[in-house]
Amino acid sequence: MPLSRFLPLLIGISLALGLMIWLVYTLSGFYNSVYFSSPLLANVLLVLLIALLIILVGAVIYYARLFQGSRRSRRKPSRPQVSELKPEAAEETLRAVRQQVAQIQDQVARQVLLERSHDIEENLARRELRVVVFGTGSAGKTSIVNAVVGRMVGQVGAPMGTTVAGETYNLKLKGLNREIWLTDTPGILEAGVAGTEREQVARQLATEADLLLFVLDDDLRQSEYRPLRSLATIGKRSLLVFNKIDRYSAADREIILSHLRERVVDFIAPEDVVAVAARPQSVVLENGETLQPSPNIMPLIKRMAVVLRDEGQDLLADNILLQSQRLGEEARQLIDAQRQRQADKVVERFQWIGAGVIWATPLPVIDLLAAAAVNAQMVVEIGKVYGCELNMERGRELAISLAKTLTGLGILRGAIEIVTSALKLSVGGFLVGTAIQSVTTAYLTRIAGKSFIQYFRNDQDWGDGGITEVVQQQFQLNRRDEFIRTFVQEALSRLPARRTDD
Ligand SMILES: Nc1nc2c(ncn2[C@@H]2O[C@H](COP(=O)(O)OP(=O)(O)OP(=O)(O)O)[C@@H](O)[C@H]2O)c(=O)[nH]1
Ligand SMILES: [Mg+2]
């Protein structure tokens, strides 16, 4: 015990002892003086004192226990079981995703995502578990499915690519009152276009699994490790199945098995790596007969049953959560693309408005701060696309700070040069100053608008590099010769028309 804690304890004990001695001494003096005048009263007092002492000791013990209990319960908060919370969390996520989906304007896309959200919800209610067998071509996936189901349901063959599509079978496991579906998939890592397409199917099925059986027939290759790890990283519960162990001696089998367990220990528990022989090679007996040894599949069936029984509800909820999150991500991307299209239209409208204003009333020099008046309205409208309600005052503030950045970074000068040389190429010879001003204003409004799109997309934040980095990035993106040429052409085709209108 450190001295800092020992010293106060020693002082406390000495004080308590001193107090007790003083109390006993005072009480015995008091007892003696009472006993002298009335022995009966003195004895009654003694009994009362002993009773008081017992009550005191009892109270101290009771409160000490109570205090300890409360400390213990503070250490271990009585939270509800995680498994009780998971289905709720899954439902909550699904609800949020539906709200997101409702914002999608493309009717077909919205409908497709809504239907998928209903499918996910139904899976949560159905309580069915989906086990997907996944892995390299010819590792023995179909053989494993046949052995687990207990009859030849799928075609087995030595060459890769025997299974060409996902096949699902119903499975009964002892002690499990849930419906289980076992899906065989085409092999991954096969060569050729057809192989790549089949792999896509397999990967899709794997991401939808509640439990994944990742099949190998040798030590884990790097090309297998990557998909296994990425599936585990997205939270896919997996068993690693080392098949064809009949091909190895007992010693080699153990070496491979322990090496496998070591390599995946970060994301798969050692007991979830099992060794089987789903379709052991037939042996020719001395009398010339061929004997087909029976499959050694029990280690996998046993482990699968334990995992599905103990974690079934969690696996289902985890998977629903994962599917909902994926759906949410898809919806988010669609909404983002939709907003981007709308915001681009706003920018395009304002860039031609800016050009038109200058064309009609030319200024002695390009005045970005004057153009900011137009930009302020553009900022408000882009904000609206991204669900941010800004007033004109805030819009103007943002527009002015951006105009200052454009000038400060020398982009204003750069833009005039770019536009001037592009105009010379297009029109040739004599150039009207107003044309340069108009097109430059349109061009700068575009850079400003694109920068604001970034800002609103990023939750009204310029990011780590600040406004400067965003503006510079947009300038770089919009200065390619090819783009400038088309932009100037379009600007020119619009300007004279406006002038005649005016
Ligand atoms: N020695 C041995 N061979 C096996 C075992 N399991 C499967 N095989 C053989 O491995 C080959 C491929 O088996 P499949 O079950 O078709 O493999 P798959 O992974 O489904 O193959 P694809 O569908 O093409 O991806 C066949 O020749 C099987 O006989 C086993 O436990 N031991
Ligand atoms: Mg197969």
Side-chain angles (χ1 to χ4, degrees):
M1 189 187 286
L3 192 68
S4 57
R5 284 178 68 184
F6 182 68
L7 216 61
L9 191 74
L10 200 71
I11 295 171
I13 291 173
S14 318
L15 261 174
L17 265 173
L19 263 171
M20 271 170 69
I21 293 168
W22 171 79
L23 199 69
V24 169
Y25 182 76
T26 317
L27 285 175
S28 68
F30 182 63
Y31 174 80
N32 283 338
S33 63
V34 175
Y35 190 82
F36 189 71
S37 53
S38 164
L40 183 70
L41 187 67
N43 282 332
V44 170
L45 265 176
L46 189 67
V47 170
L48 271 176
L49 262 174
I50 291 171
L52 212 70
L53 207 70
I54 291 172
I55 291 172
L56 201 73
V57 171
V60 168
I61 292 173
Y62 174 76
Y63 282 108
R65 279 200 179 162
L66 211 67
F67 177 65
Q68 262 195 347
S70 80
R71 270 184 41 171
R72 214 174 293 137
S73 67
R74 224 176 300 148
R75 238 177 286 139
K76 251 194 207 164
S78 59
R79 281 181 297 150
Q81 288 286 303
V82 178
S83 48
E84 284 168 27
L85 289 176
K86 276 184 180 170
E88 269 176 40
E91 272 169 29
E92 185 63 34
T93 314
L94 212 51
R95 251 197 306 278
V97 168
R98 274 220 200 102
Q99 280 174 1
Q100 251 179 324
V101 172
Q103 291 177 40
I104 297 173
Q105 284 172 350
D106 180 341
Q107 222 176 344
V108 179
R110 191 175 61 227
Q111 202 51 37
V112 169
L113 294 196
L114 261 183
E115 273 168 24
R116 271 179 49 200
S117 82
H118 286 304
D119 287 350
I120 294 174
E121 196 171 37
E122 271 173 22
N123 282 340
L124 186 64
R126 258 205 303 262
R127 301 176 73 246
E128 290 177 353
L129 290 169
R130 278 168 304 170
V131 180
V132 173
V133 187
F134 182 76
T136 323
S138 253
K141 299 175 295 298
T142 307
S143 304
I144 286 178
V145 169
N146 289 339
V148 170
V149 175
R151 63 201 150 87
M152 284 288 284
V153 283
Q155 197 193 338
V156 169
M160 283 188 176
T162 310
T163 308
V164 290
E167 296 286 347
T168 300
Y169 310 96
N170 191 240
L171 181 66
K172 297 263 174 294
L173 281 181
K174 239 196 219 157
L176 262 171
N177 56 356
R178 279 175 194 273
E179 197 86 24
I180 297 167
W181 296 98
L182 190 63
T183 301
D184 188 11
T185 64
I188 57 167
L189 311 170
E190 287 170 19
V193 180
T196 315
E197 280 171 9
R198 285 199 293 268
E199 176 161 342
Q200 279 306 107
V201 174
R203 279 176 187 265
Q204 183 58 34
L205 288 166
T207 50
E208 288 168 7
D210 295 314
L211 176 67
L212 196 72
L213 307 185
F214 197 103
V215 183
L216 306 166
D217 61 357
D218 205 336
D219 210 348
L220 190 57
R221 279 172 277 169
Q222 197 56 27
S223 50
E224 292 168 319
Y225 180 83
R226 256 181 267 117
L228 176 62
R229 199 195 165 99
S230 69
L231 283 162
T233 316
I234 61 165
K236 196 56 59 189
R237 181 76 166 84
S238 315
L239 300 187
L240 188 59
V241 188
F242 170 33
N243 186 31
K244 306 191 188 177
I245 53 167
D246 56 301
R247 297 190 306 176
Y248 302 94
S249 68
D252 285 350
R253 193 183 301 170
E254 280 313 309
I255 291 172
I256 299 180
L257 199 57
S258 69
H259 186 236
L260 278 177
R261 287 183 170 141
E262 215 173 281
R263 275 199 76 192
V264 299
V265 73
D266 287 345
F267 48 94
I268 296 182
E271 61 272 26
D272 287 336
V273 182
V274 290
V276 298
R279 198 170 194 262
Q281 217 157 31
S282 48
V283 277
V284 183
L285 298 176
E286 276 176 7
N287 59 9
E289 278 179 33
T290 10
L291 178 81
Q292 178 63 54
S294 47
N296 172 7
I297 199 75
M298 273 330 267
L300 171 63
I301 295 185
K302 277 188 186 159
R303 188 63 201 149
M304 212 160 76
V306 168
V307 171
L308 293 179
R309 190 193 60 216
D310 294 354
E311 304 170 31
Q313 196 54 34
D314 275 3
L315 292 182
L316 202 60
D318 276 343
N319 195 17
I320 300 285
L321 208 56
L322 184 70
Q323 302 301 327
S324 315
Q325 280 161 353
R326 283 167 64 92
L327 196 64
E329 183 52 30
E330 267 181 62
R332 206 189 55 72
Q333 280 176 9
L334 278 173
I335 293 171
D336 191 42
Q338 172 185 305
R339 284 175 166 170
Q340 182 95 38
R341 280 195 299 275
Q342 288 171 343
D344 279 347
K345 272 191 196 146
V346 173
V347 174
E348 199 160 312
R349 183 154 48 86
F350 276 93
Q351 75 195 16
W352 303 136
I353 289 177
V357 168
I358 302 293
W359 185 249
T361 45
L363 298 165
V365 284
I366 294 178
D367 187 352
L368 273 179
L369 294 184
V374 177
N375 280 336
Q377 181 63 34
M378 176 176 77
V379 177
V380 172
E381 288 194 26
I382 298 174
K384 208 170 184 174
V385 169
Y386 284 90
C388 314
E389 292 294 334
L390 305 183
N391 56 24
M392 271 304 275
E393 196 44 47
R394 177 75 187 128
R396 190 166 296 118
E397 260 174 44
L398 282 166
I400 288 175
S401 72
L402 201 122
K404 280 181 180 161
T405 310
L406 282 172
T407 318
L409 289 174
I411 292 178
L412 169 61
R413 225 174 323 113
I416 297 175
E417 278 166 21
I418 289 173
V419 168
T420 311
S421 57
L423 270 171
K424 266 190 195 144
L425 278 176
S426 308
V427 188
F430 174 72
L431 269 183
V432 189
T434 325
I436 298 174
Q437 279 193 13
S438 299
V439 181
T440 310
T441 304
Y443 181 67
L444 289 170
T445 309
R446 181 184 175 84
I447 291 173
K450 294 278 184 185
S451 304
F452 280 121
I453 293 179
Q454 283 288 94
Y455 171 75
F456 286 111
R457 249 187 104 196
N458 204 20
D459 279 338
Q460 300 190 62
D461 186 13
W462 289 111
D464 293 342
I467 187 169
T468 319
E469 195 175 297
V470 175
V471 171
Q472 254 164 349
Q473 198 182 22
Q474 287 306 324
F475 182 48
Q476 291 308 328
L477 282 174
N478 287 281
R479 64 179 302 175
R480 274 169 298 135
D481 288 349
E482 181 61 31
F483 167 76
I484 300 277
R485 223 173 301 132
T486 336
F487 185 81
V488 165
Q489 288 295 336
E490 187 170 359
L492 285 177
S493 71
R494 284 169 182 262
L495 292 180
R498 282 184 183 273
R499 187 143 232 198
T500 358
D501 291 348
D502 297 338

